[in-house]
Amino acid sequence: MNKFEILSETLDFIEENLTSQLTPEMCADRCRYSLSNLQKMFRCTFHIGISDYISRRRLTSAAKELLETDMSILDIALKYGYNSHEVFTRAFIRLWNVSPAKFRRERRFSGVFPKLTEPRTVVDERGNIIMTSKKRFDISYLYEFIKERRGKYAICFDMVELMRINNTYGHPAGDIAIAECLRRIDEAAGDDMLPIRIGGDEFVLITDFSDIEQAKAVSEKILAGNSGTVTSGGNVFPVSMRAGYAVIPKNGKIRYNELFDSFIVAGRAAET
């Protein structure tokens, strides 16, 4: 298997075993690849370690069950490998900046850390890889929903200075900053809208608006939170986003990768 096949198999294996005992060693055994090389390749490609990725995927899946089932918090904790309510709550707060109980009462969106997708490659005429895409999340399972919104606006958000937050205050602070962005989007979204995290610091809100002024009104409400701060490890720092707009094609074939890329471009080109 080549590098991308190994990464793809690792990601799929993790998804299949989120509620099982799972270690980086097991991932390496599954791919028939050395542990040290797999860990190095995984971190170099996705900028996160395998163990941290497993933890974030488990907590994201657990958050979904908090919203969609009536299982007790303890039962959900045990299902995802946490041996007590307290251990689960501490881990949950580190990622979501809110307790599981409060999350269940107040939130609607659970996709803080969707499944990663292996990088796409661009190959030259000789078959040499000349470019790979940056880390991004797999939202292909939402493709049919998005196609139903032909001609509607997507509000595309790009978080400001996530790298600086990570470098200055640490990656746990970055996680909390991401959760805060998603909280603001979720809070302003209507029942007929779908918030999605599509990249490390990129988010999309799929609306049911054909009128850009309606989309702008929602984005302005969300961006009004740019004056707000969050706290991590005793440090207080601002979290802000910028927003742009993309229209889901009204006619013709909607190509998933092209649509995904249009969301990224719209968010990056926006102003705060």
Side-chain angles (χ1 to χ4, degrees):
M1 291 190 291
N2 63 35
K3 168 184 175 179
F4 302 108
E5 290 172 333
I6 291 169
L7 289 173
S8 179
E9 182 158 347
T10 301
L11 293 171
D12 288 343
F13 181 65
I14 290 171
E15 290 303 302
E16 294 164 4
N17 293 277
L18 287 178
T19 59
S20 306
Q21 292 295 327
L22 183 61
T23 65
E25 289 82 1
M26 294 169 66
C27 294
D29 288 344
R30 171 63 177 264
C31 298
R32 299 170 296 283
Y33 202 65
S34 79
L35 174 62
S36 61
N37 285 340
L38 179 62
Q39 289 177 318
K40 185 183 300 182
M41 183 168 61
F42 197 96
R43 181 174 289 279
C44 180
T45 303
F46 299 125
H47 309 293
I48 186 173
I50 297 173
S51 294
D52 285 344
Y53 176 72
I54 292 170
S55 174
R56 283 162 171 77
R57 287 296 301 131
R58 281 179 169 157
L59 289 167
T60 298
S61 188
K64 184 177 181 181
E65 297 216 29
L66 283 169
L67 299 183
E68 297 182 358
T69 75
D70 58 0
M71 289 177 63
S72 71
I73 293 174
L74 177 58
D75 285 344
I76 292 174
L78 295 174
K79 178 177 178 177
Y80 286 94
Y82 297 90
N83 58 19
S84 73
H85 188 294
E86 291 74 18
V87 171
F88 175 65
T89 296
R90 286 197 298 270
F92 196 91
I93 290 173
R94 282 197 296 271
L95 185 65
W96 284 100
N97 203 30
V98 65
S99 71
K102 188 172 182 180
F103 181 92
R104 173 171 263 174
R105 290 195 306 270
E106 298 181 358
R107 302 292 180 85
R108 295 179 300 171
F109 175 71
S110 61
V112 69
F113 207 94
K115 177 188 174 186
L116 284 166
T117 182
E118 68 277 9
R120 288 190 297 121
T121 62
V122 176
V123 181
D124 65 17
E125 64 276 4
R126 296 182 179 180
N128 299 311
I129 296 173
I130 58 175
M131 184 181 73
T132 61
S133 63
K134 65 173 287 186
K135 179 178 76 174
R136 67 181 199 170
F137 294 110
D138 182 3
I139 60 168
S140 58
Y141 66 100
L142 299 171
Y143 185 47
E144 292 302 320
F145 174 89
I146 293 172
K147 286 198 298 184
E148 293 173 358
R149 298 298 179 94
R150 285 180 176 273
K152 307 298 185 181
Y153 275 93
I155 308 174
C156 308
F157 297 93
D158 187 35
M159 182 178 166
V160 179
E161 295 189 332
L162 174 60
M163 185 178 295
R164 182 189 64 79
I165 293 171
N166 284 333
N167 291 339
T168 304
Y169 305 110
H171 285 272
D175 287 341
I176 287 175
I178 289 164
E180 172 62 13
C181 289
L182 289 166
R183 184 197 67 78
R184 294 174 189 174
I185 295 170
D186 187 31
E187 192 173 79
D191 292 337
D192 56 352
M193 301 181 198
L194 176 67
I196 312 168
R197 185 182 179 195
I198 60 173
D201 55 2
E202 293 132 346
F203 320 93
V204 169
L205 180 61
I206 306 295
T207 77
D208 198 32
F209 301 142
S210 302
D211 182 353
I212 192 171
E213 295 305 320
Q214 292 177 291
K216 285 182 176 180
V218 172
S219 69
E220 288 169 3
K221 181 177 180 181
I222 294 168
L223 296 183
N226 279 353
S227 58
T229 60
V230 297
T231 302
S232 175
N235 299 300
V236 180
F237 51 90
V239 174
S240 62
M241 293 180 283
R242 48 181 171 243
Y245 309 91
V247 178
I248 299 169
K250 192 170 185 178
N251 300 304
K253 185 174 182 179
I254 298 178
R255 299 182 184 278
Y256 171 73
N257 285 328
E258 292 177 2
L259 183 64
F260 190 107
D261 291 342
S262 74
F263 292 159
I264 296 290
V265 169
R268 292 181 185 170
E271 297 181 356
T272 52

